[in-house]
């Protein structure tokens, strides 16, 4: 289980309120499940830095990741879809193939 910080913080158009388990993008609430929020929070705590899939899994599921487990990838895909639905035109979570993911809000070219 994650330890949740109480302070609200911002990254680009994102606002994360850990104590309330809420994420807002462009002012709109992003409806994340508890597990999706936990995965997102691990990334948000390290904005602009790559977080390995193993680290995300260890922090969220509190156990080592098993070989070929795709849970992290599935949750990141869902997070991306939900962020894109409320805040089109932005890329939030970037893949670093073979390593993990990085949260870095980036406005896409229009």
């Amino acid at each position: 289980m994650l330890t949740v910080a109480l302070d609200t913080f911002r990254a680009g158009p994102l606002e994360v309120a850990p104590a309330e388990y809420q994420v807002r993008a462009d002012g709109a609430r992003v409806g994340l499940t508890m597990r999706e929020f936990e995965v997102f929070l691990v990334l948000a705590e390290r904005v602009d830095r790559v977080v390995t899939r193993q680290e995300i899994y260890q922090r969220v599921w509190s156990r080592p990741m098993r070989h070929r487990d795709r849970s992290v990838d599935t949750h990141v895909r869902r997070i991306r879809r939900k962020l894109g639905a409320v805040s089109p035109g932005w890329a939030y979570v970037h893949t670093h193939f073979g390593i993990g993911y990085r949260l870095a809000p980036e406005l896409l070219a229009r």
Side-chain angles (χ1 to χ4, degrees):
M1 185 70 172
L2 282 173
T3 303
V4 178
L6 299 177
D7 295 335
T8 298
F9 57 96
R10 296 182 195 323
L14 289 174
E15 180 180 320
V16 183
E20 297 157 11
Y21 296 94
Q22 286 193 5
V23 175
R24 294 187 180 280
D26 282 337
R29 187 172 182 274
V30 181
L32 300 178
T33 66
M34 181 60 73
R35 190 68 76 183
E36 290 166 351
F37 179 81
E38 290 173 340
V39 169
F40 183 83
L41 190 58
V42 171
L43 295 170
E45 289 172 342
R46 292 167 181 79
V47 171
D48 290 326
R49 293 186 292 184
V50 177
V51 183
T52 67
R53 292 171 65 243
Q54 292 83 2
E55 182 179 351
I56 296 167
Y57 194 92
Q58 176 68 44
R59 294 221 26 232
V60 173
W61 282 269
S62 300
R63 63 178 183 257
M65 188 170 79
R66 292 177 294 179
H67 181 68
R68 299 167 63 110
D69 189 317
R70 306 302 291 186
S71 299
V72 171
D73 304 315
T74 300
H75 283 79
V76 167
R77 184 178 70 243
R78 291 177 184 158
I79 291 165
R80 282 178 172 151
R81 184 179 62 232
K82 290 177 179 184
L83 285 168
V86 299
S87 183
W90 284 85
Y92 292 100
V93 181
H94 305 274
T95 301
H96 289 263
F97 292 100
I99 302 170
Y101 298 98
R102 177 176 54 97
L103 178 67
E106 178 181 309
L107 186 60
L108 300 173
R110 298 189 189 246

